[in-house]
Amino acid sequence: VRTRLEVKLPPSAGRSYPIFVDAEPGAEARLADELVARAGAAATVGLLTDETVARLHRARFAGALSARGLTVVPVVVPDGESAKSMARAAEVAEAWTRGGLDRRAWVMALGGGVVGDLGGFVASILFRGVRCVQVPTTLLAQVDASVGGKTAVNLPSGKNLVGTFHQPELVYADVTTLATLAPRDRASGLAEVVKHGVIASPELLELVERRAEEACAGDPALLGELVARSCAIKAEVVAHDEREQAEGGRARLNFGHTVGHALESASQEGDAPLRHGEAVALGMLAAARVGAAHGCGDPTLEARLTSLLERLGLPTDLDRRLDASVLARVGVDKKRAGGRLLLVVVERVGQASLLAVEPARLGEILLAANRR
Ligand SMILES: NC(=O)c1ccc[n+]([C@@H]2O[C@H](COP(=O)([O-])OP(=O)(O)OC[C@H]3O[C@@H](n4cnc5c(N)ncnc54)[C@H](O)[C@@H]3O)[C@@H](O)[C@H]2O)c1
Ligand SMILES: [Zn+2]
């Protein structure tokens, strides 16, 4: 699999950018060539990774850049969501300015969604914005986080509350990096693939349903196919609504994320933190239930998703995890419209829309099972 897709930005942006999905060996050389073609061989590249990716994959990518004459300034952050902080962003910016980056420099975010969000955020504010290349190395980042230009860091009061829109110059998904991914992280990425299928593509959902076990096992050709199809869906949605302003536009991608984010941030304080995709899996079940209870969502979706998510090794024990404190966090979620929550509901697979829900009603529906 070697695919090139194009994200068409609105005319005001004056450009589009490519997403490469490359499942063949030697992708680092092809990426380096793409970068030299855009940045020139004298460019300085700030290369961000976390510790795990620095150990497993950085040498190959940094080597390909250096071999073409580029100056590489590597910065490493600790693994995990806690790296997405204002303090860490300031440290990365400081390290890069000390290391010689200037306003013509490029940033390369090599890693999962954490590194992509943090690297993109720093790129968007360093010298009022430098160019950025996303090189996602987790399935979640390849199918979702690296495409669309949203960057973010977290605040103590909630996830992704500070961020920017900063579209990359290119996205290069080297599918071979996924071979070293932990099964749990692979499953987490599959949750976002399922999300894309549910909101936009019955065929994609059916493909995952047909081949769930192979996807879990990391079949490289299948993963390449899932990444390419997911990126095509996300690119299409983002092209029509870059800034999440259109009704039924980019906001659809938040399916499962309203309750998902609340579960994710609540779990960070306990001893069993959820992966992002795991929280999204649970959040999709919650959204399916709320949609059905309002009479506008597919009433069979919750059961269909439960059986698929179980096969993918994702959590489905929503009722055990929901309580008043999690629901209180839903209120902090930023997708609010005057006191009411905007929730993405799915009328039928492939067809999603927004529903305004009273927070109290959401609590009633979701906690009903616990009271029975
Ligand atoms: N900007 C967006 O549009 C967007 C969309 C979805 C999610 N996100 C964000 O993405 C983040 C989650 O991303 P994630 O799930 O990739 O988590 P992550 O970046 O924390 O990566 C998960 C783990 O996998 C390791 N890893 C990365 N690549 C590896 C590889 N090839 N082999 C082995 N290990 C590897 C990392 O070191 C980390 O320990 C969240 O912060 C979420 O908010 C952003
Ligand atoms: Zn997500």
Side-chain angles (χ1 to χ4, degrees), residues 306-348:
T306 300
S307 78
L308 177 58
L309 297 172
E310 267 168 12
R311 286 170 66 206
L312 295 173
L314 286 159
T316 57
D317 52 346
L318 179 65
D319 294 318
R320 199 182 62 75
R321 291 170 187 271
L322 279 177
D323 59 29
S325 83
V326 170
L327 286 168
R329 282 175 191 266
V330 175
V332 184
D333 193 283
K334 54 204 181 307
K335 281 119 207 152
R336 266 185 301 191
R340 300 219 281 177
L341 287 161
L342 284 182
L343 208 74
V344 182
V345 294
V346 173
E347 294 126 59
R348 61 188 147 77

Side-chain angles (χ1 to χ4, degrees), residues 20-85:
F20 296 89
V21 180
D22 189 338
E24 289 165 29
E28 67 280 2
R30 292 183 285 278
L31 163 59
D33 288 340
E34 293 291 339
L35 192 56
V36 168
R38 288 167 175 78
T44 301
V45 180
L47 178 60
L48 187 68
T49 60
D50 66 16
E51 283 163 4
T52 297
V53 176
R55 187 161 43 76
L56 293 173
H57 297 289
R58 189 181 62 191
R60 176 160 71 86
F61 289 91
L65 299 177
S66 304
R68 284 159 182 77
L70 298 160
T71 304
V72 179
V73 184
V75 171
V76 182
V77 293
D79 283 23
E81 189 66 29
S82 67
K84 274 175 56 174
S85 71

Side-chain angles (χ1 to χ4, degrees), residues 140 144-145 192 195 234 253-255 257 261 264 276-277 280:
L140 184 124
D144 190 359
E192 300 275 14
K195 178 196 78 178
K234 184 144 186 199
L253 296 169
N254 296 326
F255 177 59
H257 282 61
H261 274 161
E264 186 178 7
H276 178 73
V280 169

Side-chain angles (χ1 to χ4, degrees), residues 7 9 17 117 120-121 124 134 144-152 163-168 171 234 238 242-243 250:
V7 182
L9 295 176
Y17 65 88
D117 276 10
F121 180 63
S124 73
Q134 291 286 347
D144 190 359
S146 64
V147 178
K150 276 192 185 179
T151 82
T164 55
F165 287 100
H166 190 62
Q167 299 293 344
V171 178
K234 184 144 186 199
V238 170
E242 190 207 351
R243 303 255 159 164
R250 187 168 180 160

Side-chain angles (χ1 to χ4, degrees), residues 158-183:
K159 248 183 79 75
N160 296 341
L161 293 182
V162 174
T164 55
F165 287 100
H166 190 62
Q167 299 293 344
E169 301 300 312
L170 71 111
V171 178
Y172 208 107
D174 175 355
V175 179
T176 70
T177 60
L178 303 181
T180 54
L181 208 58

Side-chain angles (χ1 to χ4, degrees), residues 266-287:
S267 77
Q268 303 307 312
E269 286 156 23
D271 47 12
L274 287 167
R275 297 282 203 277
H276 178 73
E278 294 171 340
V280 169
L282 294 158
M284 290 192 288
L285 296 176

